Amino acid sequence: MTAVTDAVKTGAGTLAPRPRGGFAQGISDSLIVAKRNLIRMSRIPEMIIFGLIQPIMFVVLFSYVFGGSMNVGGSTDADVYREFLMAGIFAQTVTFATAGAGAGIADDMHKGLIDRFRSLPMARGAVLTGRTLADLVQTALTIVVLAVVALLVGWRVHEGVLKALGAFALLLLLGYAFSWIGALIGLSVRTPEAATSGGLIWLFPVTFVSNAFVDSGQMTPWLRHVAEWNPFSATVQASRELFGNPGVSPSDAWPMQHPVIASVIWSVLIIAVFRTLAVRKYRSATA
């Protein structure tokens, strides 16, 4: 008995509980939760299929229905608008995945799965980090398919493969940042339906009051100012520059002058703020 007691006190032996903290454990637990969510997603293929339908519809509709009537840099050429459009569609796709992330977390809360995770000796933030990482993988797969569709309708990359990969990395970073907003919403509501609605309400003004679909230089001055300082706009503009696609009218706004740096700063700031709030909400919601 003395040996067992000493083993527990010193952390030796199999009876010692696994520590809840630690950076290495947090990463390990997060990857395990991410794997669990990826396996779950693979067993529900309609989640991926339906996630692809909307962005593909946006590509086709905006390209062929609105393409000839949009003015980009003084040109109404549909081919020019098609290349201008794609960075915005990519960004919209990665951010709209936020609603799904929030709904998934709300569903886990509703079914009591979060309480079961809480009973395990695991890092507190691992449940949310694993979920957001799994959603990031799904979003990346969606972007790959969407890029193929974009190439079929005439979109092209003009600055080389490395810069294109950099643009996709910025897009995924923005999507990951916004997924933490979705996580916070999912923890704050009672049903998955409410999480989906709450996740979309704020996304529409963020994505449409931006330079994603129209040249912000054509907006009224106050609306243009909002659009140019929108984190979403910074990532869209950075992607256009890295893809070598047509951009918006020249602007004196700092995010539009330095879109790559602005995109990284905005995304990291959003992750830092909303991850902190989401983990805090998770702890209080399951306490």
Side-chain angles (χ1 to χ4, degrees):
M1 179 66 70
T2 303
V4 172
T5 303
D6 291 340
V8 172
K9 288 182 179 180
T10 59
T14 58
L15 296 181
R18 191 158 56 104
R20 288 183 172 271
F23 181 73
Q25 181 187 346
I27 293 177
S28 176
D29 292 344
S30 297
L31 292 177
I32 291 173
V33 175
K35 181 181 178 181
R36 171 256 174 192
N37 281 284
L38 288 173
I39 293 174
R40 178 187 179 188
M41 291 175 184
S42 67
R43 292 173 179 171
I44 313 176
E46 55 266 28
M47 290 177 59
I48 300 175
I49 294 172
F50 291 150
L52 287 171
I53 292 175
Q54 179 177 298
I56 291 175
M57 287 177 60
F58 270 107
V59 171
V60 175
L61 288 174
F62 275 86
S63 297
Y64 293 104
V65 177
F66 302 112
S69 60
M70 294 293 186
N71 189 323
V72 178
S75 173
T76 57
D77 188 330
D79 292 333
V80 173
Y81 180 69
R82 199 169 291 124
E83 292 211 338
F84 171 87
L85 170 70
M86 283 315 305
I89 294 291
F90 287 139
Q92 184 192 53
T93 300
V94 300
T95 53
F96 268 47
T98 299
I105 291 174
D107 187 50
D108 288 344
M109 289 283 291
H110 184 68
K111 292 179 178 178
L113 184 62
I114 296 296
D115 290 333
R116 278 175 275 176
F117 277 132
R118 180 176 175 265
S119 67
L120 299 175
M122 61 190 301
R124 288 301 189 198
V127 174
L128 301 181
T129 302
R131 174 74 204 202
T132 54
L133 288 175
D135 289 327
L136 182 64
V137 173
Q138 182 180 355
T139 301
L141 294 175
T142 303
I143 287 294
V144 170
V145 176
L146 189 57
V148 173
V149 175
L151 290 170
L152 292 176
V153 300
W155 172 72
R156 294 293 182 268
V157 171
H158 304 285
E159 294 293 332
V161 175
L162 290 180
K163 286 190 175 182
L165 291 176
F168 285 123
L170 290 178
L171 289 163
L172 291 175
L173 180 62
L174 178 71
Y176 183 69
F178 275 35
S179 70
W180 282 105
I181 302 178
L184 180 61
I185 293 173
L187 291 168
S188 303
V189 298
R190 297 183 179 181
T191 64
E193 294 78 10
T196 301
S197 299
L200 291 175
I201 288 174
W202 65 274
L203 277 174
F204 276 103
V206 167
T207 54
F208 283 96
V209 183
S210 70
N211 59 6
F213 307 110
V214 297
D215 184 351
S216 57
Q218 301 177 29
M219 299 179 180
T220 57
W222 71 269
L223 195 59
R224 176 180 182 177
H225 185 73
V226 173
E228 289 174 341
W229 284 88
N230 184 345
F232 185 83
S233 294
T235 300
V236 172
Q237 183 67 6
S239 299
R240 286 195 181 114
E241 285 193 2
L242 293 173
F243 288 141
N245 296 151
V248 297
S249 302
S251 170
D252 293 331
W254 188 84
M256 296 297 99
Q257 292 288 327
H258 310 278
V260 175
I261 298 175
S263 175
V264 173
I265 291 175
W266 275 122
S267 295
V268 170
L269 183 62
I270 291 170
I271 293 172
V273 172
F274 283 93
R275 186 185 188 280
T276 301
L277 294 175
V279 172
R280 185 177 299 173
K281 183 70 176 179
Y282 169 81
R283 287 173 175 170
S284 63
T286 59

